[in-house]
Amino acid sequence: AAVTPLQMQTDLCFASIGCCVAMSLPLAHLVSHVSDLGFPAARGAEILALMLAAGAAGSFFGVGYLGERYGGLRAIFVFSTAQALFLLLLAFVEDLTSLYLAGILFGLGYGGILPCYPVIVREYLPPKEAGRRTGIVILFAGSGMALGSWIGGAAFDLTGSYRTAFLIGVAFNLANLLMIGSLILRTGPNPRRAEA
């Protein structure tokens, strides 16, 4: 059965929470995590800066490339998979070189996620409602960012480490991937792309 606009909107809202919980954990807690591993806070700030730069590159170039060729749903699936993998890596690596590498690759993944939501809305939902529907999805995404930042602090307070927090983020990210994967299977080819 076809996915109705309400179903698409609802699924995108909950999917955005999953990816943004995972996204916010390193963004909010990476400098502290690197410090807790015994490195100067300045190294953590450098990794965060490189992560943000990689995120910008993923956003500017990756979304256009993947979105144009494969559509927004498939593009976000790729970016979210990368985010999950490299968040998992960030949870376990402890040497500085690996932290830099994982941070940069995480950035490439997370940078492409949020820009894909407006692309998906435009591809699958009524064009005249795109502004409102995109705003609702981004509101839920922002809630996920806030929740993830809080989870990171709460998990650290309970365990004395950010590893558990990062693994919780991976679980949220996997939920996002299940929802996006389900949408890919249920929607089939993008109707607007097929028209082009």
Side-chain angles (χ1 to χ4, degrees):
V3 178
T4 67
L6 179 59
Q7 290 171 328
M8 176 65 79
Q9 175 85 69
T10 302
D11 286 0
L12 291 177
C13 286
F14 285 105
S16 73
I17 292 173
C19 65
C20 286
V21 165
M23 184 185 299
S24 67
L25 285 159
L27 293 174
H29 300 287
L30 185 65
V31 175
S32 297
H33 175 59
V34 171
S35 296
D36 288 346
L37 292 175
F39 301 107
R43 300 292 80 78
E46 288 172 357
I47 297 169
L48 180 60
L50 291 170
M51 180 188 291
L52 292 170
S59 176
F60 296 153
F61 304 110
V63 175
Y65 181 81
L66 293 175
E68 177 66 25
R69 282 156 184 76
Y70 306 108
L73 284 173
R74 286 166 179 78
I76 202 172
F77 193 86
V78 170
F79 288 119
S80 190
T81 298
Q83 177 178 271
L85 287 173
F86 295 112
L87 181 57
L88 182 63
L89 189 60
L90 278 171
F92 290 102
V93 297
E94 297 187 351
D95 66 282
L96 201 54
T97 301
S98 297
L99 286 166
Y100 274 96
L101 182 61
I104 291 168
L105 293 173
F106 176 87
L108 286 172
Y110 100 77
I113 291 174
L114 279 179
C116 282
Y117 285 108
V119 173
I120 296 165
V121 167
R122 182 63 182 89
E123 288 174 341
Y124 288 97
L125 296 171
K128 65 181 180 181
E129 301 172 4
R132 172 175 59 85
R133 291 185 180 275
T134 299
I136 292 169
V137 173
I138 299 304
L139 175 65
F140 276 79
S143 300
M145 295 291 282
L147 178 62
S149 297
W150 177 82
I151 286 172
F156 181 84
D157 290 344
L158 288 172
T159 66
S161 165
Y162 287 106
R163 177 173 290 168
T164 300
F166 289 175
L167 293 176
I168 292 169
V170 171
F172 271 90
N173 208 140
L174 291 176
N176 164 270
L177 285 168
L178 286 173
M179 296 193 81
I180 296 297
S182 171
L183 283 171
I184 290 170
L185 292 174
R186 287 158 48 211
T187 57
N190 179 314
R192 291 196 178 92
R193 287 175 56 77
E195 293 169 6

